[in-house]
Amino acid sequence: MVCHARVSTPSAQLGLPELQLGIIPGMGGTQRLPRLVGLQKALEMMLMSKSIKGVEAHKFGLVDAIVSADKLVSTACSCALEIHEHKKPWLKSLLRTDRLTDIVEAKKILKSARVQALKQSANLQHPLVCIDVIEEGILFGPRAALMKEVLSGKMLEQSQTSKSLRHVFFAQHATSKIPNITNLGLTPRRILKAAIVGGGLMGSGIATAFILSDIVVVLKEVNEKFLNTGINRIKANLQSFVKKGRMTKDDYENKLSLLSGVLDYEQFRDADVVIEAVIEDISLKQQIFSDLERSCHSNCIFATNTSTIDLQLIGQQTACQDRIVGAHFFSPAHVMPLLEIVRTQQTSSQVIVDLLDVAKKIRKTPIVVGSCTGFAVNRMFFPYGQAAGLLVDYGLDVYHIDHVITQFGMPMGPFRLADLVGFGVAVATGKQYYQSYPERCYKSLLTAIMLEENRTGESSRKGFYLYDDKRQASPDPDIKKYVEKSRKMAGVAQDPKLLKLTDKDIVEMVFFPVVNEACRVLDEGIALKASDLDVASIMGMGFPSFRGGVMFWADSLSAEYVYRRLDGWSKDYGEFFKPCEYLAARASHGASLAATTADGTKSRL
């Protein structure tokens, strides 16, 4: 933007994404962009980190000419000569005012931008700083604003938010680097056709994700009724993109043409990958994998979307253990950005490389994890809801906990999340964790009691909250009677100490058990890197990215502090809070939870 003119190809991406890293554009970016594209468009591009393509950039004045790639250099040279020879004006972006509105209108636009920034990210400072710097240039000229930009930029670089967001940026790019797999020189095989078994919410979402990336999909169901329901779900998913203006009607038809529905395995014969997405029933999944082995070619990848069942059990009756892998999507699968790739000891390196490439094609961020109950994301977060249940049993208010957790930066609190997931699912998955990790579970009876009263969550319009026709949530006074019953059955009483907890205390009592379990996941080798768990916590569970992920956040407080708090609570409230050995060792050595060795794996003290 410092140049006198700019030439671009039609598809080039142009933007100022610095706010994603907790900083503001430098080198006069906050001043030059509004003077080239206008204040409204500049604010949109900077505050939303929204890039635009060359064609749109030309429309708004960011670039002066659009040409094909082979003519880019020659056109730029011609343009430079014309400016030098005064055939075109010598325009300095910093001094232009023709695209700026008058001060009164500019103030209105800036005020509206501040309101929107606070609404979208109340915990973040840097969007407001960016607006302040832009306003400085409008009111006092670009020279004064350049100094403010420099000083503000240096201040933000040192902020915890920027450190956290920069960590997330690099962590996200590191998830696909797997020691002894991605450094072996293996080339991913081409995935031209995917087959999905099961057209429920997850299966239809997965199918949508594939056809959005122009991959042919075959969807299998057990009968016409279920198949039609699944296909209609996929159509509805695509139509939502059309309604939002992110897809044309022609695009919709083209994507839909990639989908076919079947009731048998005949069209699976040339599939490159099959993803099973049926209910969590071991015998059913075993039967499906036996059928797949007979129906698919010898190099086909067999993936399961299970979120809890051990992969070794699923493939127990097959002879192709090296081709079996977990592909755990998060709901809704076509929207959520994370993909857990779950490997067993038998899963081949080639299959992992192939799925990493699939993740890239369908625009998912992958993390490669080992097999256990809950894998990485769900396992490290099972204490999240249990901690909240413990706090309620001991006297805290359901709605206050949810409020505190959302103020911390989560999209919703643990009780609102339970409503969204559904009590049936919550109780069923809870049983899995009670069976696998009984010594460190807190078994609140609250959800089960409410389920007996036909309160199933948002789907029934009654859970911890009441829901209106538009699914807007409101507190329910009747919850108190269920809490009292749960408390009585658990044999616990209100604890006066907990009633005095600060918001910070509540956050730590809910999330430090999550940190503790994440340490176990790392120590057992289920996750390869602490940074993978940071990405997983953000993309899989909505942990605030401006805090850097669950492990980075804990490290910012220190392992010693987390250990001391958990140890103190364990003395009052039992084994649920007991710090694990991994955390204890790092606390005693003053080491980082994310300490790694030279090869990128975790260190053992």
Side-chain angles (χ1 to χ4, degrees):
M1 291 188 291
V2 180
C3 298
H4 296 97
R6 287 147 295 280
V7 181
S8 169
T9 59
S11 59
Q13 297 276 347
L14 299 98
L16 295 176
E18 285 86 348
L19 267 73
Q20 290 185 37
L21 302 179
I23 55 177
I24 60 174
M27 297 294 290
T30 58
Q31 305 307 306
R32 299 180 197 279
L33 189 61
R35 286 163 172 77
L36 288 170
V37 302
L39 181 58
Q40 191 79 55
K41 188 65 179 178
L43 283 166
E44 177 191 318
M45 290 176 67
M46 284 188 269
L47 297 180
M48 298 176 65
S49 295
K50 185 178 180 180
S51 63
I52 57 177
K53 289 189 176 182
V55 173
E56 189 180 358
H58 183 246
K59 172 186 171 184
F60 282 98
L62 183 55
V63 299
D64 299 86
I66 294 291
V67 295
S68 59
D70 59 330
K71 296 180 179 178
L72 194 61
V73 175
S74 60
T75 305
C77 289
S78 299
C79 185
L81 286 172
E82 288 179 346
I83 292 171
H84 175 69
E85 295 168 358
H86 297 282
K87 294 178 181 177
K88 285 187 175 181
W90 288 68
L91 296 175
K92 295 183 178 180
S93 57
L94 207 56
L95 302 180
R96 289 182 63 172
T97 59
D98 57 302
R99 291 186 179 272
L100 294 178
T101 59
D102 62 73
I103 289 180
V104 174
E105 181 64 22
K107 284 185 175 181
K108 288 181 182 178
I109 294 172
L110 291 164
K111 181 180 179 181
S112 175
R114 284 191 179 92
V115 170
Q116 193 64 22
L118 284 168
K119 183 179 178 181
Q120 290 182 343
S121 47
N123 289 290
L124 302 183
Q125 177 191 17
H126 60 284
L128 297 176
V129 171
C130 184
I131 295 169
D132 289 345
V133 173
I134 294 169
E135 185 175 50
E136 184 83 4
I138 302 275
L139 298 179
F140 304 108
R143 299 295 178 187
L146 288 177
M147 182 58 71
K148 188 176 180 73
E149 181 186 86
V150 170
L151 295 174
S152 298
K154 287 182 177 178
M155 178 268 292
L156 290 172
E157 283 175 19
Q158 301 305 313
S159 70
Q160 186 60 38
T161 294
S162 181
K163 291 175 183 176
S164 298
L165 290 171
R166 294 201 304 267
H167 165 74
V168 173
F169 175 82
F170 290 111
Q172 191 175 337
H173 285 77
T175 62
S176 57
K177 296 176 181 177
I178 315 300
N180 303 316
I181 290 183
T182 55
N183 55 354
L184 298 179
L186 295 171
T187 302
R189 293 172 294 188
R190 295 182 70 189
I191 304 296
L192 301 177
K193 182 177 180 179
I196 314 294
V197 182
L201 287 173
M202 288 305 300
S204 58
I206 295 167
T208 305
F210 275 85
I211 62 177
L212 282 172
S213 299
D214 298 319
I215 297 172
V216 173
V217 170
V218 175
L219 180 71
K220 181 188 179 299
E221 261 295 358
V222 293
N223 58 45
E224 287 285 353
K225 179 183 175 182
F226 287 167
L227 182 60
N228 289 333
T229 300
I231 289 174
N232 286 334
R233 282 197 187 101
I234 296 168
K235 289 179 178 178
N237 291 340
L238 295 177
Q239 284 165 355
S240 70
F241 287 98
V242 176
K243 289 176 183 176
K244 293 173 185 175
R246 295 168 59 186
M247 181 186 292
T248 66
K249 290 184 178 179
D250 285 344
D251 289 335
Y252 168 84
E253 295 296 338
N254 289 335
K255 301 296 184 189
L256 202 56
S257 69
L258 298 170
L259 174 70
S260 58
V262 297
L263 300 176
D264 55 39
Y265 291 106
E266 182 63 32
Q267 291 190 42
F268 279 48
R269 298 193 181 281
D270 59 344
D272 301 302
V273 60
V274 178
I275 300 176
E276 168 271 308
V278 302
I279 59 173
E280 298 287 72
D281 181 305
I282 292 178
S283 58
L284 174 60
K285 290 177 186 287
Q286 288 175 337
Q287 181 59 55
I288 288 170
F289 273 72
S290 295
D291 293 340
L292 292 175
E293 191 172 30
R294 291 191 297 271
S295 305
C296 301
H297 66 74
S298 59
N299 289 322
C300 182
I301 299 167
F302 297 153
T304 173
N305 182 58
T306 183
S307 58
T308 55
I309 300 174
D310 191 325
L311 267 63
Q312 303 278 67
L313 292 174
I314 291 175
Q316 203 172 50
Q317 299 175 15
T318 67
C320 55
Q321 300 285 334
D322 60 327
R323 289 191 278 150
I324 295 176
V325 67
H328 180 216
F329 290 78
F330 293 78
S331 185
H334 61 293
V335 175
M336 293 293 282
L338 187 70
L339 173 62
E340 267 186 316
I341 298 174
V342 187
R343 60 178 174 176
T344 68
Q345 292 183 342
Q346 288 79 33
T347 306
S348 75
S349 297
Q350 182 65 59
V351 166
I352 301 299
V353 169
D354 292 342
L355 272 195
L356 286 169
D357 189 56
V358 168
K360 182 179 178 182
K361 284 185 169 66
I362 63 175
R363 301 177 183 87
K364 304 293 182 188
T365 296
I367 58 163
V368 176
V369 301
S371 182
C372 67
T373 301
F375 311 134
V377 179
N378 288 338
R379 178 178 160 185
M380 70 174 167
F381 267 88
F382 84 77
Y384 176 66
Q386 291 186 12
L390 182 150
L391 290 176
V392 169
D393 277 353
Y394 280 91
L396 264 63
D397 176 65
V398 165
Y399 306 114
H400 180 59
I401 293 171
D402 269 7
H403 172 73
V404 169
I405 297 303
T406 52
Q407 288 295 107
F408 175 73
M410 293 291 285
M412 62 184 70
F415 299 105
R416 177 68 183 85
L417 178 64
D419 277 2
L420 181 66
V421 171
F423 287 5
V425 173
V427 170
T429 55
K431 287 179 181 177
Q432 295 275 351
Y433 296 117
Y434 300 144
Q435 290 172 6
S436 299
Y437 317 112
E439 74 287 352
R440 58 179 185 272
C441 283
Y442 179 79
K443 192 171 183 178
S444 170
L445 300 172
L446 181 55
T447 305
I449 290 168
M450 294 168 68
L451 189 58
E452 289 176 358
E453 297 282 330
N454 295 319
R455 297 179 77 110
T456 60
E458 187 178 319
S459 61
S460 67
R461 297 192 183 182
K462 275 188 178 183
F464 288 102
Y465 294 80
L466 297 176
Y467 297 88
D468 60 20
D469 293 342
K470 296 182 179 179
R471 300 216 164 182
Q472 294 295 311
S474 60
D476 182 0
D478 285 347
I479 288 299
K480 290 180 181 178
K481 71 178 182 183
Y482 298 111
V483 171
E484 287 298 329
K485 187 175 180 181
S486 171
R487 195 173 288 153
K488 186 176 181 180
M489 291 177 70
V492 299
Q494 286 188 332
D495 185 344
K497 287 185 297 185
L498 287 190
L499 297 178
K500 297 176 183 177
L501 290 179
T502 65
D503 288 359
K504 177 175 175 290
D505 292 330
I506 293 172
V507 165
E508 291 176 356
M509 287 192 82
V510 169
F511 279 111
F512 281 5
V514 174
V515 173
N516 201 24
E517 196 63 30
C519 286
R520 292 188 180 97
V521 168
L522 194 61
D523 190 37
E524 293 170 18
I526 300 300
L528 296 175
K529 305 184 288 291
S531 61
D532 284 353
L533 295 179
D534 286 328
V535 172
S537 67
I538 292 166
M539 293 188 167
M541 290 299 296
F543 193 85
S545 60
F546 63 85
R547 299 191 189 277
V550 71
M551 295 292 271
F552 187 85
W553 170 69
D555 261 336
S556 74
L557 301 171
S558 85
E560 191 277 331
Y561 177 77
V562 176
Y563 172 84
R564 179 162 41 84
R565 294 285 274 172
L566 284 168
D567 190 50
W569 297 325
S570 69
K571 291 178 173 63
D572 291 331
Y573 306 107
E575 293 287 298
F576 176 73
F577 287 109
K578 185 179 179 180
C580 68
E581 292 181 8
Y582 182 94
L583 175 58
R586 270 146 183 76
S588 65
H589 288 81
S592 162
L593 295 175
T596 55
T597 58
D599 66 355
T601 58
K602 63 183 182 301
S603 66
R604 292 186 175 273
L605 298 172

